[in-house]
């Protein structure tokens, strides 16, 4: 059976659907309805019982899933833009890709972007997403000027770092549990071109790549692809990619100089059906990693690439999640504090490579300082890797959880589909306060809840 993620379907009335987030695990049967005006949203919220917002389903697990789902994608208008400050106001169902399509040609870019542009503004705020520039720009929440959130009684709360600031604090990174984010205003940043001046550096092992991150702290963007199947001396071998927005003077190719804001559209591919479960195994993944690593020659290489190639290589393949087959997959993303960095990352990585279960999509990044209430990032190293769902992988995660917690780290809620309440409690210092704040808002009647919030004990 091919599982489809339900988006962009123009659903007016409530409909019973099979639905999942990006990892296709879990897949649930839910009542799904959409809205395209404030009035429609208000009437949807008149209905008793808990709901959860579903943006574009690019969280991996069950953050936007439960029996009653509100699709936000049709609530997708750009509202206003201030050329002097770069402040953009829009409805929460707008995709980051739609913002880029309109604003890059005018010389503006997102302040923070994750590794896919196919997420909504509401999803970016609720998960407080981070990008390759976290060490200099923090997460998405840092760039929000204000937002409007609708709660159960249909009233709209306007909040910002200074207005209703406690409510703002728990909505940013609050995984949709404070209400439906309707509109948001946030600041774009000025760029001279749609291109990135990129350097790629091949690192032979974990020490080399960590040295490379330290030496790249002046770069706006940095990230590394790491081979999670390489062992021994080669443990942690990686490719660092670092970049800066290119200036017009830095463009050399005639095609780039001629149209600095309009890169040519690249090849777009699609995975038409779910792969059989056996297609991805240790050997196919090892072969892929070897070929990919050796594609890069030793040393540092410079090039000018367009922003889609640099930030969103995976978006060029529609439905790439189908390569994991019908069993689905999950992403294990953890962060550990800088102090635990080298030793901690080596120990955890070794356990992952010894298991032979990791796959080819592993991303390493050094986060900077983070000042927020319930968001994932902290100053330290984060590693994200995909695992096809299996009993062995689920057992491994239990072991990894204990290691991550011992090193003072935590897991990213937007990627998670299996962490338990104890792990959440132990690793998020404000877990208890967050639970109490949500319970106070609900005042005895849970209005916003997801499978995630129930599993980790934030809501009933
Ligand atoms: C290929 C890929 C790469 C990724 N890379 C990164 C990365 O580099 N950094 C990163 O931080 N994340 C990354 N992610 C995760 C992704 O950015 C987040 O999960 C994001 O929240 C998804 O947004 P969405 O619009 O798809 O929302 P959904 O996945 O549908 O929902 C996510 C959460 O937001 C809530 N929500 C959505 N809209 C609203 C709203 N209007 N009001 C209230 N709550 C709402 C939902 O209830 C849910 O809790 C990646 C995901 C993929 C698939």
């Amino acid at each position: 059976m091919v599982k489809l993620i339900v988006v962009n379907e123009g659903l007016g009335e409530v409909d019973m659907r099979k639905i999942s987030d990006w990892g296709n695990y879990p897949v649930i049967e839910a009542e799904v309805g959409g809205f395209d005006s404030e009035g429609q949203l208000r009437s949807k919220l008149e209905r008793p019982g808990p709901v959860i917002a579903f943006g574009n389903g690019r969280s991996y697990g069950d953050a936007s899933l439960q029996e009653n789902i509100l699709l936000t994608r049709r609530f997708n208008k750009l509202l206003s833009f201030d050329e002097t400050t770069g402040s953009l106001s829009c409805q929460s169902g707008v995709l980051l890709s739609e913002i880029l399509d309109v604003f890059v040609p005018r010389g503006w870019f997102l302040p923070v972007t994750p590794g896919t542009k196919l997420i909504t503004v509401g999803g970016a705020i609720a998960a407080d997403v981070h990008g390759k520039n976290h060490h200099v720009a923090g997460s998405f929440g840092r760039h929000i000027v204000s937002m409007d959130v609708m709660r159960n009684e249909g009233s709209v709360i306007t909040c910002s770092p200074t207005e209703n600031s406690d409510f703002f604090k728990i909505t940013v990174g609050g995984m949709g549990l404070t209400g439906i984010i309707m509109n948001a205003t946030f600041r774009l940043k000025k760029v001279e071109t749609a291109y990135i001046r990129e350097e790629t550096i091949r690192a032979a092992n974990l020490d080399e790549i960590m040295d490379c991150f330290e030496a790249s702290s002046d770069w706006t963007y940095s990230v590394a692809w790491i081979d999670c199947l390489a062992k021994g001396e080669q443990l942690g071998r990686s490719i660092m990619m670092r970049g800066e927005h290119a200036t017009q003077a830095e463009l050399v190719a005639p095609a780039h100089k001629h149209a600095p804001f309009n890169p040519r559209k690249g090849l777009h591919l699609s995975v038409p059906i779910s792969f059989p479960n056996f297609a991805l195994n240790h050997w196919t993944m090892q072969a892929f990693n070897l070929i990919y690593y050796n594609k890069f020659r030793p040393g540092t290489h410079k090039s000018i690439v367009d922003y889609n190639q640099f930030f969103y290589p995976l978006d060029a393949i529609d439905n790439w999640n189908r390569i994991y087959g019908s069993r689905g997959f999950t992403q294990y993303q953890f962060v550990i504090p800088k102090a635990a960095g080298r030793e901690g990352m080596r120990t955890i990585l070794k356990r992952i490579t010894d298991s032979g279960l990791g796959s080819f999509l592993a991303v390493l990044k050094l986060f900077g300082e983070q000042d927020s209430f319930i968001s994932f990032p902290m100053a330290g190293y984060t590693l994200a890797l995909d695992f096809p769902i299996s009993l062995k992988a689920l057992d491994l995660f239990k072991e990894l959880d204990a290691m991550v917690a011992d090193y003072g780290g935590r897991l990213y809620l937007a990627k998670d589909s299996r962490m338990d309440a104890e792990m959440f409690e132990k690793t998020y210092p404000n877990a208890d306060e967050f639970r109490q704040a949500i319970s106070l808002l609900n005042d005895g009647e849970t209005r916003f809840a997801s499978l995630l919030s129930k599993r980790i004990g934030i809501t009933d």
Side-chain angles (χ1 to χ4, degrees), residues 53-119:
F54 186 104
N56 206 29
R58 252 52 181 192
S59 47
Y60 277 65
D62 50 7
S64 46
L65 300 183
Q66 65 120 321
E67 307 89 75
N68 191 3
I69 288 172
L70 264 182
L71 304 179
T72 66
R73 266 294 283 136
R74 284 197 291 125
F75 196 63
N76 60 2
K77 291 194 178 64
L78 298 177
L79 301 172
S80 66
F81 182 62
D82 181 339
E83 288 260 6
T84 52
T85 60
S87 282
L88 168 69
S89 300
C90 66
Q91 294 178 334
S92 64
V94 171
L95 293 178
L96 299 189
S97 61
E98 293 166 337
I99 295 175
L100 292 167
D101 286 348
V102 173
F103 286 96
V104 170
R106 290 167 171 78
W108 296 91
F109 200 76
L110 296 162
V112 163
T113 177
T116 172
K117 59 183 176 174
L118 301 175
I119 71 162

Side-chain angles (χ1 to χ4, degrees), residues 21-22 52-60 63-64 72 92-93 95 113-116 118-124 126-131 175-177 179-182 314-315 320 331 333 412 414-415 450 452:
D21 280 323
W22 189 242
I52 194 71
F54 186 104
N56 206 29
R58 252 52 181 192
S59 47
Y60 277 65
S64 46
T72 66
S92 64
L95 293 178
T113 177
T116 172
L118 301 175
I119 71 162
T120 62
V121 167
D128 195 11
V129 297
H130 56 267
M175 302 308 288
L177 301 176
I180 307 291
I181 300 161
M182 286 171 43
L314 285 171
D315 287 347
W320 64 258
Q331 188 170 89
Q333 180 167 7
Y412 190 11
K415 306 286 179 73
S450 59
L452 168 82

Side-chain angles (χ1 to χ4, degrees), residues 86-386:
S87 282
L88 168 69
S89 300
C90 66
Q91 294 178 334
S92 64
V94 171
L95 293 178
L96 299 189
S97 61
E98 293 166 337
I99 295 175
L100 292 167
D101 286 348
V102 173
F103 286 96
V104 170
R106 290 167 171 78
W108 296 91
F109 200 76
L110 296 162
V112 163
T113 177
T116 172
K117 59 183 176 174
L118 301 175
I119 71 162
T120 62
V121 167
I125 297 169
D128 195 11
V129 297
H130 56 267
K132 297 174 174 56
N133 58 350
H134 183 275
H135 58 290
V136 293
S139 50
F140 197 86
R142 196 193 281 184
H143 306 274
I144 302 173
V145 177
S146 73
M147 57 183 159
D148 300 324
V149 182
M150 192 180 279
R151 285 201 42 81
N152 42 342
E153 64 277 25
S155 67
V156 175
I157 301 178
T158 299
C159 64
S160 75
T162 52
E163 184 181 2
N164 291 316
S165 57
D166 283 347
F167 185 75
F168 179 84
K169 195 169 88 169
I170 56 171
T171 299
V172 173
M175 302 308 288
L177 301 176
T178 62
I180 307 291
I181 300 161
M182 286 171 43
N183 310 316
T185 302
F186 53 96
R187 276 179 292 267
L188 301 182
K189 66 177 188 180
K190 203 101 191 84
V191 291
E192 267 191 49
T193 73
Y195 291 89
I196 302 290
R197 176 163 58 80
E198 181 190 53
E199 285 191 9
T200 55
I201 303 164
R202 197 164 105 164
N205 53 40
L206 197 60
D207 270 332
E208 271 192 36
I209 192 63
M210 289 191 156
D211 289 344
C212 202
F213 270 113
E214 301 293 343
S216 305
S217 59
D218 289 347
W219 285 73
T220 304
Y221 301 106
S222 60
V223 71
W225 171 85
I226 184 166
D227 179 354
C228 279
L229 300 174
K231 294 185 174 182
E233 297 282 284
Q234 297 178 325
L235 183 84
R237 70 177 177 183
S238 312
I239 310 293
M240 151 79 75
M241 289 146 196
R242 58 190 189 188
E244 295 292 341
H245 290 280
T247 60
Q248 299 225 354
E250 285 167 343
L251 300 184
V252 281
H256 297 177
K257 281 172 100 68
H258 186 247
F261 290 115
N262 295 93
R264 213 179 292 155
K265 291 253 177 300
L267 196 61
H268 206 88
L269 304 170
S270 176
V271 178
I273 53 163
S274 290
F275 278 23
N277 286 344
F278 60 78
L280 266 197
N281 57 45
H282 183 72
W283 308 112
T284 49
M285 295 197 256
Q286 201 166 41
F288 174 90
N289 283 8
L290 189 70
I291 293 166
Y292 187 82
Y293 181 76
N294 285 305
K295 204 174 88 137
F296 297 86
R297 283 165 294 127
T300 303
H301 301 280
K302 301 178 182 197
S303 56
I304 299 283
V305 294
D306 76 56
Y307 75 87
N308 282 308
Q309 283 169 277
F310 185 76
F311 291 106
Y312 314 116
L314 285 171
D315 287 347
I317 310 169
D318 283 342
N319 304 315
W320 64 258
N321 54 346
R322 290 180 180 163
I323 63 172
Y324 286 97
S326 56
R327 68 196 146 170
F329 70 110
T330 189
Q331 188 170 89
Y332 194 86
Q333 180 167 7
F334 66 90
V335 58
I336 51 173
K338 194 130 188 249
R342 290 201 184 209
E343 189 223 323
M345 196 52 84
R346 192 182 315 284
T347 312
I348 299 175
L349 193 55
K350 184 164 182 320
R351 182 64 196 95
I352 293 171
T353 59
D354 285 349
S355 78
L357 295 174
S359 80
F360 35 67
L361 288 170
V363 173
L364 181 66
K365 161 97 197 107
L366 180 58
F367 281 153
E369 293 299 326
Q370 172 86 17
D371 178 22
S372 55
F373 186 69
I374 198 70
S375 304
F376 164 69
M378 65 166 79
Y381 281 97
T382 179
L383 179 70
L385 69 160
D386 292 349

